[in-house]
Amino acid sequence: MNENRALILSDATASHRAATDAAGLCRDLVLKTAMKIQGRRYVQVEGWQTIANAFGCVASAKNVQRIEGGFTAIGQIIRLADGVVIAEAEGYVGDDESTWSKRPVFARRAMAQTRAMSRACRSAFAFVVTLMDAGLETTPAEEMTHVIEERSVAIDRKNVAAKVVEVTSVPRIEEQPVNEVFTKAVATIERAKTVDRCEALRETLDTRLSEGLLTKFEFDGLLTLLHRRTGQLIDLSQEQVTA
């Protein structure tokens, strides 16, 4: 019994650590892309996709359909390691939404997919958002269109300027500090101009990891970026040769 309990606690600790690492890894981008509505911040689809990627998953949408009253789509979170669908949700755009009712069909279909992906991500990773910043709402930003519409109508009727109320009283939940070493490394990789430079950066990353300036999760994420940048530079050099 004690051994089973210890095993459960160990698994729970590992899961929490992974979630905390993921929150720290993508916190910057999620906060920068969050949309502020009536003083609250909502995560947009780009932020949800970043969180999914930090967990080794990808968000996708399928089965876009025209139904009575609007468009629907199914969003899925797929684990890249084995292709297993770990979460699924429906996105919907209604004909009664003034913002979307006059948009072209392709735009409404696209928004249905966007909402489906955001909703699927929320069902799987809402807990990660609370680890990043307690002031972030877990309702996807794309689902708050009606609030923006209602507020715009109210402001127009009263003919007054909107006042944004900052949320200052919400307690923080394990807010993760930004790792400046990680942030600078991302910028340096993106600026790399040669394959030799990328190889030198790999050695630098190894050093930063051994010095404890990067977590293993951050190190793995940077390696992914570095490999992608190296591939881009190789493709670019080949194009120049053939040209």
Side-chain angles (χ1 to χ4, degrees):
M1 178 67 72
N2 289 335
E3 291 181 359
N4 290 338
R5 183 178 181 184
L7 181 60
I8 292 173
L9 290 174
S10 176
D11 291 343
T13 301
S15 297
H16 178 73
R17 175 60 180 171
T20 302
D21 286 346
L25 179 63
C26 51
R27 178 176 180 271
D28 261 1
L29 180 60
V30 173
L31 291 178
K32 286 179 181 178
T33 59
M35 178 184 292
K36 182 175 286 188
I37 304 174
Q38 294 187 348
R40 295 181 179 275
R41 291 174 297 169
Y42 295 83
V43 181
Q44 298 193 78
V45 67
E46 296 86 352
W48 287 116
Q49 289 174 315
T50 301
I51 295 172
N53 185 257
F55 276 87
C57 300
V58 64
S60 67
K62 65 175 187 176
N63 296 345
V64 185
Q65 296 183 21
R66 175 60 157 148
I67 64 172
E68 183 179 355
F71 288 88
T72 65
I74 300 298
Q76 294 182 326
I77 305 302
I78 303 171
R79 192 164 54 210
L80 293 174
D82 53 15
V84 172
V85 176
I86 66 170
E88 192 172 87
E90 181 186 72
Y92 176 76
V93 177
D95 293 340
D96 57 349
E97 297 182 50
S98 60
T99 299
W100 291 100
S101 60
K102 298 179 181 179
R103 299 283 183 90
V105 170
F106 81 87
R108 284 181 282 167
R109 287 174 60 89
M111 178 50 69
Q113 294 176 73
T114 297
R115 288 180 177 176
M117 289 189 292
S118 292
R119 174 55 56 175
C121 285
R122 186 229 178 267
S123 67
F125 305 118
F127 70 100
V128 181
V129 171
T130 63
L131 291 174
M132 292 179 186
D133 191 323
L136 282 175
E137 301 294 324
T138 56
T139 300
E142 292 79 13
E143 295 182 7
M144 299 303 294
T145 306
H146 66 285
V147 176
I148 299 175
E149 292 172 353
E150 292 171 0
R151 183 169 177 78
S152 298
V153 171
I155 291 172
D156 184 63
R157 287 175 178 173
K158 295 179 181 179
N159 195 26
V160 296
K163 295 182 179 180
V164 178
V165 180
E166 296 291 343
V167 178
T168 58
S169 60
V170 180
R172 303 285 180 177
I173 302 178
E174 297 186 29
E175 181 173 341
Q176 301 298 312
V178 177
N179 186 343
E180 293 184 0
V181 174
F182 173 80
T183 303
K184 291 179 180 178
V186 171
T188 302
I189 291 172
E190 292 176 345
R191 292 196 301 267
K193 300 298 183 182
T194 66
V195 174
D196 288 341
R197 175 57 174 159
C198 289
E199 292 177 353
L201 287 174
R202 170 57 196 265
E203 295 179 2
T204 301
L205 294 181
D206 289 335
T207 302
R208 296 291 182 267
L209 178 64
S210 64
E211 292 173 344
L213 298 177
L214 291 171
T215 66
K216 184 63 169 61
F217 196 89
E218 291 170 335
F219 176 79
D220 290 342
L222 290 171
L223 277 188
T224 300
L225 291 176
L226 188 60
H227 291 158
R228 183 177 66 184
R229 182 56 179 161
T230 302
Q232 291 173 342
L233 292 171
I234 292 174
D235 291 342
L236 181 60
S237 63
Q238 291 176 343
E239 290 175 1
Q240 292 174 342
V241 170
T242 55

